[in-house]
Amino acid sequence: MKTAVSSANSSRLALVFADFKEITKARLAVSVVFSSIAGYLLGAVEINYFSLLLLAFGGYCMVGASNAYNQIIEKDLDVLMDRTKNRPIPSGRMSVNTAMFIAVLLTVLGLVSLYFLNPKTAMFGAISIFLYTSVYTPLKTKTPLAVFVGAFPGAIPFMLGWVAATNEFGVEPGALFMIQFFWQFPHFWALAWMLDDDYKKGGFKMLPTGKKDKGTALQIIMYTVWMIIISIVPAFGFTGRLELSVVAAVVIFIMGLFMLFFAFRLYEKRDNVSAKKLMLASVSYITLMQVVFVIDKFI
């Protein structure tokens, strides 16, 4: 009897944990934390591991809170889409009040953690939550420009790490911001291309032309080119302490060309298979690019 009860409790806890990961979009949150840590390592003169822990915890809380607010706001639309109808709120596994409690708690914990690093870091974290929930989310059903607005909070993590390490905002974190800002367009539009039919069920307008056409594919190519250019600018000495060796710049440039290749393939074929390959290439690019930046600093 005790074994059965223990097993039931374990299963219940596992489901609660799974729903927490879903409401906070754990995989996305972890990738954001990775970007923040990369930015911190680039900005830090001396690495403080407690500060890194605060940044990681606070960063996860802020992203988790944003995603929880988003799912509360879009609960009625999530029911309509195949990819979201089994989320905790639309499926009925979690109440709106519970989700709101989680969102508010994570907001407070995140802001406090980032404030302990420095007030500027907390300010950018707060701006990120506000833009994501109060501007980007409502615009998704109104205009494709929502993606442009959403690129601002999405680009904050890389620069947030630098600000956390230095308590300064200047050309260096600005450059990190611009890299991740331009990266988001090909990444997200590739994803939106794949999910376009499902997005339309919820009334979301995510592709720049509203269609899976050459116009959208051409814009993906253009933003990919700008992303590559911005990514190697630090090699030319225009970005203060944010530097990049020639070798590292060449490596990043080649990685960017691979991503650009998949963007051209999407323009040529205009199918979901090509969009998925571009999306996966973009995920690889942002991760490896940040790794190259960090390694280049320390060797």
Side-chain angles (χ1 to χ4, degrees):
M1 186 67 176
K2 288 183 179 180
T3 302
V5 172
S6 177
S7 178
N9 288 335
S10 297
S11 298
R12 193 175 298 110
L13 285 174
L15 289 173
V16 169
F17 183 63
D19 281 343
F20 177 81
K21 291 195 298 181
E22 181 71 19
I23 201 75
T24 59
K25 290 189 180 178
R27 290 177 63 182
L28 173 62
V30 168
S31 70
V32 169
V33 169
F34 181 88
S35 293
S36 299
I37 290 175
Y40 178 92
L41 293 175
L42 291 174
V45 175
E46 182 178 345
I47 297 173
N48 183 306
Y49 291 99
F50 181 66
S51 294
L52 268 179
L53 182 62
L54 283 175
L55 178 62
F57 178 75
Y60 188 100
C61 287
M62 300 305 279
V63 179
S66 296
N67 289 321
Y69 288 127
N70 175 266
Q71 291 182 47
I72 292 168
I73 295 168
E74 294 181 349
K75 65 184 187 304
D76 295 329
L77 300 179
D78 282 347
V79 176
L80 305 175
M81 296 181 290
D82 293 334
R83 73 181 189 91
T84 56
K85 64 185 180 183
N86 289 319
R87 284 176 172 174
I89 300 175
S91 67
R93 297 192 309 274
M94 182 181 292
S95 69
V96 171
N97 287 341
T98 298
M100 182 61 75
F101 174 78
I102 291 172
V104 172
L105 179 63
L106 290 177
T107 301
V108 174
L109 291 175
L111 284 174
V112 170
S113 298
L114 296 182
Y115 188 84
F116 272 120
L117 289 168
N118 57 66
K120 286 189 180 72
T121 305
M123 178 190 71
F124 282 118
I127 289 172
S128 177
I129 287 185
F130 174 77
L131 288 176
Y132 191 86
T133 60
S134 301
V135 186
Y136 166 67
T137 296
L139 282 178
K140 287 163 68 178
T141 57
K142 302 293 190 299
T143 172
L145 288 174
V147 176
F148 177 78
V149 175
F152 282 88
I156 285 177
F158 201 15
M159 58 148 269
L160 189 73
W162 185 288
V163 176
T166 65
N167 195 23
E168 296 175 358
F169 181 82
V171 65
E172 298 93 345
L176 297 179
F177 175 90
M178 293 304 294
I179 293 170
Q180 199 153 5
F181 179 80
F182 281 103
W183 167 82
Q184 285 183 90
F185 293 94
H187 169 73
F188 185 79
W189 282 334
L191 181 63
W193 187 295
M194 296 162 51
L195 300 173
D196 186 55
D197 292 337
D198 210 25
Y199 272 133
K200 286 178 178 176
K201 293 177 184 177
F204 294 120
K205 307 175 188 294
M206 308 309 291
L207 293 175
T209 67
K211 301 176 183 178
K212 298 194 286 186
D213 58 9
K214 283 191 173 183
T216 288
L218 182 60
Q219 291 199 48
I220 288 173
I221 290 171
M222 292 170 58
Y223 277 96
T224 303
V225 170
W226 277 111
M227 177 203 73
I228 295 171
I229 293 172
I230 297 297
S231 295
I232 61 174
V233 162
F236 296 93
F238 301 136
T239 52
R241 287 205 300 117
L242 180 64
E243 300 174 339
L244 197 64
S245 70
V246 173
V247 173
V250 170
V251 171
I252 289 173
F253 181 74
I254 292 172
M255 292 192 304
L257 290 182
F258 273 105
M259 187 169 157
L260 185 61
F261 167 78
F262 288 110
F264 273 107
R265 287 293 295 271
L266 179 60
Y267 180 84
E268 177 188 359
K269 296 192 173 184
R270 298 190 299 283
D271 61 4
N272 285 353
V273 173
S274 300
K276 183 175 182 179
K277 289 179 179 178
L278 174 59
M279 189 272 293
L280 293 174
S282 70
V283 172
S284 298
Y285 176 84
I286 195 68
T287 304
L288 293 175
M289 178 273 297
Q290 291 168 347
V291 169
V292 169
F293 261 91
V294 172
I295 291 176
D296 187 60
K297 175 187 174 179
F298 288 98
I299 61 174

